[in-house]
Structure formats: C-alpha cells, structure tokens
Amino acid sequence: MSSLFRTKSVEQSIRDTEEPETALKKSLSALDLTVFGVGVIIGTGIFVLTGKIAKETAGPSVAIAFVVAGLVCALAALCYAEFASTVPVAGSAYTFSYASLGEFPAWIIGWDLILELALGCAVVAVGWSGYMRSLLDTAGLHLPQWLSGTHNGDFGFDLLAALLVVALTLVLVAGMKLSSRVTGIVVAVKVTVVLLVVIVGAFFITGSNYDPFVPPSQEVEGGGGIHAPLIQLMTGFTPANFGVMGIFTAAAVVFFAFIGFDIVATAAEETHNPQRDVPRGILGSLFICTLLYVAVSIVVTGMQKYTELSTDAPLADAFKSVGHPFWAGLISFGAAVGLTSVSMILLLGQTRVFFAMSRDGLLPRAFSRVHPRFGTPYRSTLLLGGVVALLAGFTSIDELAELVNIGTLFAFVVVALGVILLRRSRPDLPRAFRTPLVPLVPILSVLASFWLMLNLPAETWLRFAVWMLLGVLVYFVYGRTHSRLGRGTQAGDL
C-alpha cells in the first residue's frame, strides 16, 4: 500500500528534465506566459457569458460576480504559483501531486487533466467550427450537412473542427516559440476587439439600465433528479437568482470563464526563468482577464436593460439594439479568432501532462521523446492531436462540457492540499514564490473549489466517477508496474 503513495522528490523531478532525449527546449518569458494565460481564458465567454448571466442570474451585479469568481481563482492561482516556481517541471498539477501526495494521487490527477483538456479542446474546436460555417455561409460557401458535424441526431463529421485541431497540432510540434508567436498575434487581435467594444460601448451606456443594480431575489425553478446540482440532492438547498445570493450563484457559473490560467503552469519547464516568470504569468493573466470581464459586463448591462439582453449573442445584439451592426460583426470576428488560441493552449496543456506522465513511466516511455530539432514532445503531441481531432469531428459533446469544469476544480483542490503537505514535509525547499497565509489560503481555495463542484449536476459527478474508475484500472494494469520511481530507474531506460 505504501508504494501507492511513494513521492518523487523535487530534486529528482528537476534532474529528469536534464535527460537529453526528454529535455524540453527553454524558450518562454513572463510575457509569453501571460499571453498564453490571456489566450486561453478570453474566449467566447467574454462575448456571451457576460450578458447571459446578467439576464438570467444577477442583473447588472454580474460585474460583482466576476470579481468574486476572480478572487476564488486567485486563491488557486497563489497555490499554483508557489508549486510552479518550486517545481518548474512540465505536468502542472500532476507533477505537483507526485512531489507532495504520492504516485497514485498524481496518476489520478494526471488522468483527470487528460480528460479535462481533451474535452475542452474538442468543445472549443466545435464552437470555432460553428463560427466559421456561419462566415462561410455569409460568403455564399456552404459545406455539405454530413461535413458539418452531428446535429439533431443526424450523424456527420465536423470537418472544420478536425482540421483546426490538426493545424494546431502541427504548430505545437514545430516549437513552443512558434506557438507563442501565433498565440501572441491571436491574443493581440481579440484583446484589441474587446477594448474597442468597451470603449465604443461606453458611449451608449444609459444610467437607468443599472437600476436596480442588484435585482430582487427569485427562487430558481429547476428540475430535480440526476440533472439537479449535487448540493440540491444532498441538502434540498435551492440556489437563488438575483438578489445578494444571486451574485454568488452567478459567480459559480462565471467561474468557468476563468478556466485556463492553470495551463500556464504546464509550460514551466520551457521557461527561461520559471522561478520568477511563472508566478508573474499566472497572476498577471488572471488579473488582466478579470478586469476585461468586469469592464465588458458593465458595458453590456449599461447599453441594454438586463431583462432585454439576448442569451445567444448578448453583446453583439446590444450593439444592434443601439443601431451599430458593424460592431456586432466585429464582436463575432473577435470570438472566432479568440477560439483559435483557446484550442491551441488547451491542447498544449494536455500534451505536457501526457509527456510528464510518460517520462515517469506511468504511460509508455516512447511518448516522452522530444524532437531532435524542435525540442517538443512530438510523439505525444501527434497522438493526442489525432485523438482530439477525431473527438471534435465525430462527437457531439456539448453535454460533456461540464466534465471540463469538474476536472479543473478537482485539480485546484489537489494543488491547494499539496502546498500544505509540501510545506510540512519539505520546509527546506527554496521557494521563489510563497503562497501567503498558509494554511489559510490553501484551505479557503479547497473550500471554494469544492463548493463550486457541489453546484454541478449529479450527472456530471457520475460521468467523472466512471472516468476516474477507468483511470484506476489503467494504473494498476500498467502504470504501477512500469513506474520509473517504483523500479528505481533514472536516465537511459527509454
């Protein structure tokens, strides 16, 4: 039993990064990491979620909900920043867990991250495909129905979504610096669009639209059974829309717009000065995105009364309502561009977690070889890129998107606990960044993340449990017997 919780020392994790055949190329700066963080967080959520939640859950006080959600993420970000600067190794929460909780918990979190990031990338690619088909239709070009994905039970293949994933896979194989340049261009475009929307939209704000800023509370009318939030099934507690409690209900929803800042930690091994730059990248991207979300939510609820906002494209429709369809088109363009970087960075994160698990022997070691020229884990990137391309092409996975959320929150819980345990077991480790007020901040992070998990449907918990059970089976059949730590092997066993 003790072998299940054997830990891999921080020193050994760092030594493994120096093996020639599995050493990733260091090419990223703090600016690159911040761009990655902004690139994955800012997607269609900023153009859709802000208005949707304002209409259905919080009214104009959705701006406060974004601040609350940002604070919850900040608690997790502080824990990630300490780990990433102390253990600057690919794998993010997986690697952190290996150093603090042990091999089996590390495997579980790694298996969880593989699912989270694969589904996330596929879902976003399908969303991007929808925007592109719309643009093609406007230009008079129409794809056959059978190449437009699975809709209303009709079988099809989403060609555009699959092609996007294939193209991004090739970019990732070609090197991190190229990936960061592509991401930098895409992020510059979509942030420019967001800022233009905020600046222009500010001229159309009507003060009366903010009254009341916190609308009267309304009890949620929802169905029960497996589709109900787990907390409702456990306690009978029913969340409220609007009012003060509506702000916190909204925060539980808009929290998912922030998912992605933890991807920055997966690139720690490919950073010139991870001890300094990774904390800056994580916290910097989170701060920038929180400001943008708050600004957009203030503008959209000021331009149009929250009760009149649309739920499909609220920000674009708000501009149409004031007679400016050009800006509505620009918003759609920004959303389409934004999804490109989101897909790429989610795929990047997945390949780095898979690579780290492979290097440790928990997955076949052949996938931990890096390309002799590009210095990237090309085998794992090509494998996972192919799987995600097929997933995006053949599967209608909207109903599985919440698995991305529960997987991320589970990782937040594990990382926060790991900070506390590593502080106690290895107080001697040099920590370039230290999470303040330990253990208070990590404990608050655990409680906040677990509360949001309880607000997810019971159906999501069941699917998550099935995937985790499959992961346990794979570990005992393959991972435990091939673990390099268990075998006592170091370099040269590829």
Side-chain angles (χ1 to χ4, degrees):
M1 179 62 70
S2 61
S3 64
L4 296 179
F5 298 95
R6 55 196 175 204
T7 57
K8 183 180 180 181
S9 71
V10 173
E11 292 80 2
Q12 183 56 53
S13 293
I14 295 174
R15 280 196 297 271
D16 284 350
T17 68
E18 299 167 357
E19 297 176 12
E21 291 184 306
T22 61
L24 297 174
K25 187 176 181 180
K26 296 182 181 293
S27 58
L28 301 178
S29 65
L31 178 60
D32 293 325
L33 295 176
T34 303
V35 168
F36 273 135
V38 174
V40 73
I41 297 172
I42 299 295
T44 52
I46 198 166
F47 303 113
V48 177
L49 197 59
T50 46
K52 178 180 173 62
I53 300 304
K55 179 174 183 176
E56 298 178 349
T57 311
S61 62
V62 66
I64 301 176
F66 273 110
V67 173
V68 172
L71 290 174
V72 172
C73 288
L75 294 172
L78 291 169
C79 298
Y80 269 89
E82 173 169 326
F83 254 129
S85 63
T86 307
V87 194
V89 178
S92 185
Y94 159 75
T95 300
F96 307 156
S97 302
Y98 215 159
S100 56
L101 301 174
E103 184 173 283
F104 182 63
W107 165 268
I108 290 296
I109 196 65
W111 186 253
D112 160 59
L113 289 172
I114 288 173
L115 173 73
E116 169 205 334
L117 298 172
L119 286 179
C121 182
V123 168
V124 172
V126 170
W128 177 88
S129 173
Y131 276 101
M132 292 306 298
R133 286 197 304 273
S134 176
L135 291 174
L136 289 174
D137 290 342
T138 302
L141 301 173
H142 307 285
L143 283 178
Q145 181 65 34
W146 64 277
L147 288 178
S148 299
T150 301
H151 302 286
N152 300 321
D154 296 327
F155 177 79
F157 181 78
D158 197 328
L159 178 64
L160 294 179
L163 288 178
L164 173 67
V165 176
V166 170
L168 296 179
T169 299
L170 296 178
V171 171
L172 290 174
V173 168
M176 278 295 283
K177 198 60 186 177
L178 175 62
S179 303
S180 68
R181 287 171 180 166
V182 171
T183 303
I185 294 171
V186 171
V187 170
V189 170
K190 67 180 177 181
V191 170
T192 300
V193 170
V194 171
L195 291 176
L196 283 173
V197 165
V198 170
I199 294 169
V200 174
F203 289 96
F204 300 103
I205 289 176
T206 302
S208 60
N209 289 334
Y210 293 128
D211 185 24
F213 192 76
V214 181
S217 178
Q218 297 177 8
E219 187 171 312
V220 175
E221 295 181 4
I226 197 171
H227 301 293
L230 186 63
I231 185 69
Q232 184 175 338
L233 296 180
M234 292 171 57
T235 66
F237 168 79
T238 303
N241 284 337
F242 306 110
V244 175
M245 288 306 297
I247 294 175
F248 294 99
T249 301
V253 179
V254 302
F255 166 83
F256 304 123
F258 290 94
I259 286 177
F261 72 85
D262 53 314
I263 301 295
V264 174
T266 67
E269 191 175 326
E270 295 161 272
T271 305
H272 289 303
N273 188 344
Q275 288 78 11
R276 179 196 66 190
D277 293 343
V278 173
R280 291 181 180 181
I282 292 174
L283 297 171
S285 59
L286 184 60
F287 178 73
I288 290 170
C289 293
T290 301
L291 286 181
L292 291 176
Y293 276 129
V294 171
V296 169
S297 61
I298 289 174
V299 167
V300 72
T301 54
M303 289 178 65
Q304 193 174 18
K305 191 71 173 179
Y306 75 92
T307 55
E308 299 172 0
L309 290 169
S310 74
T311 56
D312 295 327
L315 195 52
D317 289 345
F319 274 97
K320 290 179 182 178
S321 73
V322 294
H324 287 271
F326 167 79
W327 295 104
L330 185 65
I331 289 168
S332 297
F333 170 74
V337 170
L339 288 179
T340 307
S341 65
V342 176
S343 292
M344 185 169 73
I345 298 168
L346 289 172
L347 186 58
L348 163 72
Q350 186 195 27
T351 59
R352 273 28 178 198
V353 173
F354 195 93
F355 164 80
M357 296 174 74
S358 172
R359 186 164 60 186
D360 289 332
L362 299 180
L363 291 170
R365 285 275 287 163
F367 292 110
S368 63
R369 286 186 181 272
V370 298
H371 195 280
R373 176 184 173 189
F374 302 125
T376 56
Y378 67 105
R379 291 180 176 178
S380 57
T381 301
L382 291 172
L383 171 69
L384 294 171
V387 171
V388 174
L390 291 173
L391 192 62
F394 281 114
T395 314
S396 178
I397 49 179
D398 290 344
E399 69 277 6
L400 298 182
E402 285 179 326
L403 278 171
V404 179
N405 304 332
I406 195 170
T408 301
L409 289 164
F410 181 58
F412 286 3
V413 169
V414 171
V415 169
L417 291 174
V419 167
I420 298 173
L421 293 175
L422 200 61
R423 282 281 189 100
R424 292 184 176 181
S425 63
R426 293 295 306 276
D428 57 306
L429 279 176
R431 292 170 169 85
F433 179 91
R434 298 178 68 88
T435 304
L437 301 176
V438 173
L440 177 61
V441 167
I443 289 174
L444 289 175
S445 180
V446 169
L447 294 176
S449 298
F450 190 64
W451 168 253
L452 294 180
M453 290 174 73
L454 290 176
N455 279 276
L456 290 170
E459 184 178 23
T460 300
W461 279 83
L462 286 175
R463 289 172 174 161
F464 183 64
V466 170
W467 176 257
M468 288 293 105
L469 288 174
L470 179 60
V472 170
L473 179 63
V474 173
Y475 173 74
F476 282 103
V477 170
Y478 182 90
R480 188 181 186 189
T481 56
H482 290 80
S483 166
R484 294 179 70 200
L485 185 64
R487 291 180 167 186
T489 53
Q490 307 302 329
D493 61 341
L494 279 172

